[in-house]
Amino acid sequence: MKIKAGDKFNMLTYLGIDTMRGKRRYGRFRCECGKEKDIRIDSVVAGDIKSCGCLYESMKNSVGLNPRDYERLYNVWRNMRDRCYKTNSDRFYTYGARGITVCKEWRSSFRAFAKWAVENGWNPDLSIERKSLDVGYCPENCTFITMKEQARNKTSNIRIIYHGEDKCVAEWCEILGINDKRTYKRYQLGIRDPEVLFYPGDLRSMKGCGRIA
């Protein structure tokens, strides 16, 4: 996209001066706060950068986060939007390509997302999770969980009903105190009987009881 001097993007006005840094094109912009700064043009046009930095500083204060946590939460927001809308994202095929979206309020405003996140207990050790995997990102469908819990909730996980309870293999292995790698290998070999799949010992010892051939 070509831009010309005077074009305005959010709080930034292009001054008509640009330079190349490696493969990236930087333009000189004047922010509404009065500061001039060289910023990547593609990031400004895409709306990823809205000010010289002053806007983000005011946001940090408004959501009550220290600078490091602010940056981490900002990355959560950016990555959430990228996997839903950027076709070159390596995760687009499981999100945007499936129709997963970000609600209008969050998509257009990091501030709105950050306010909700802080009010709902976000911290750097937690990951955003959708309650229903068929519904997009919105306040009603999102919560924060540990990375370990999120790994268990991936659609690719193998789930087993054992003693009337439905859990993924990783969780069963943790509950039963058995080796998960050995259990996955048994599953790959075609074993589906939970009593055999989760047997803690050598399967050769079960041959005499008729559970395996």
Side-chain angles (χ1 to χ4, degrees):
M1 175 183 177
K2 285 190 175 183
I3 63 174
K4 61 183 184 299
D7 284 348
K8 186 171 182 179
F9 304 88
N10 295 293
M11 295 176 64
L12 298 168
T13 300
Y14 180 53
L15 300 181
I17 303 170
D18 65 86
T19 56
M20 294 297 296
R21 299 182 186 177
K23 296 182 180 180
R24 302 295 184 181
R25 184 176 167 219
Y26 283 72
R28 178 69 55 84
F29 292 86
R30 178 180 292 116
C31 183
E32 288 181 3
C33 72
K35 183 178 180 179
E36 294 185 7
K37 186 176 181 180
D38 291 339
I39 308 172
R40 274 179 53 176
I41 290 177
D42 60 336
S43 296
V44 173
V45 173
D48 293 332
I49 297 178
K50 296 180 172 62
S51 72
C52 69
C54 63
L55 177 61
Y56 298 150
E57 288 299 326
S58 67
M59 284 183 180
K60 291 176 188 180
N61 295 332
S62 69
V63 297
L65 294 172
N66 64 53
R68 177 173 293 182
D69 287 351
Y70 171 89
E71 295 298 337
R72 288 174 176 172
L73 185 56
Y74 182 83
N75 286 334
V76 171
W77 176 75
R78 183 186 62 191
N79 292 334
M80 174 180 67
R81 293 194 311 160
D82 285 355
R83 56 183 173 259
C84 290
Y85 299 105
K86 286 194 174 182
T87 57
N88 61 348
S89 168
D90 60 1
R91 302 181 69 187
F92 178 79
Y93 77 101
T94 56
Y95 289 87
R98 292 202 308 115
I100 302 301
T101 61
V102 179
C103 69
K104 184 177 180 180
E105 182 183 20
W106 286 1
R107 184 182 180 186
S108 61
S109 172
F110 168 67
R111 194 171 202 163
F113 172 75
K115 183 175 184 297
W116 172 85
V118 171
E119 290 175 351
N120 284 272
W122 177 84
N123 69 62
D125 296 323
L126 299 179
S127 173
I128 192 167
E129 172 78 350
R130 288 172 295 128
K131 299 173 185 177
S132 170
L133 298 181
D134 296 319
V135 180
Y137 291 94
C138 62
E140 299 77 20
N141 192 45
C142 289
T143 186
F144 290 108
I145 60 176
T146 65
M147 294 300 291
K148 186 176 183 179
E149 289 172 321
Q150 187 180 59
R152 288 176 176 169
N153 290 342
K154 288 182 179 178
T155 55
S156 60
N157 278 344
I158 301 166
R159 302 193 69 84
I160 301 293
I161 297 176
Y162 186 41
H163 295 314
E165 295 187 47
D166 184 352
K167 302 180 187 297
C168 68
V169 169
E171 188 170 3
W172 277 126
C173 289
E174 184 175 315
I175 292 171
L176 300 172
I178 58 179
N179 186 296
D180 59 341
K181 291 183 179 179
R182 180 175 57 191
T183 304
Y184 279 118
K185 185 175 181 179
R186 290 175 182 174
Y187 189 91
Q188 291 169 355
L189 291 172
I191 296 173
R192 297 295 184 268
D193 183 342
E195 296 293 344
V196 179
L197 194 64
F198 300 131
Y199 183 65
D202 191 319
L203 291 185
R204 288 175 294 184
S205 65
M206 297 187 72
K207 289 186 177 181
C209 62
R211 296 307 296 265
I212 60 175

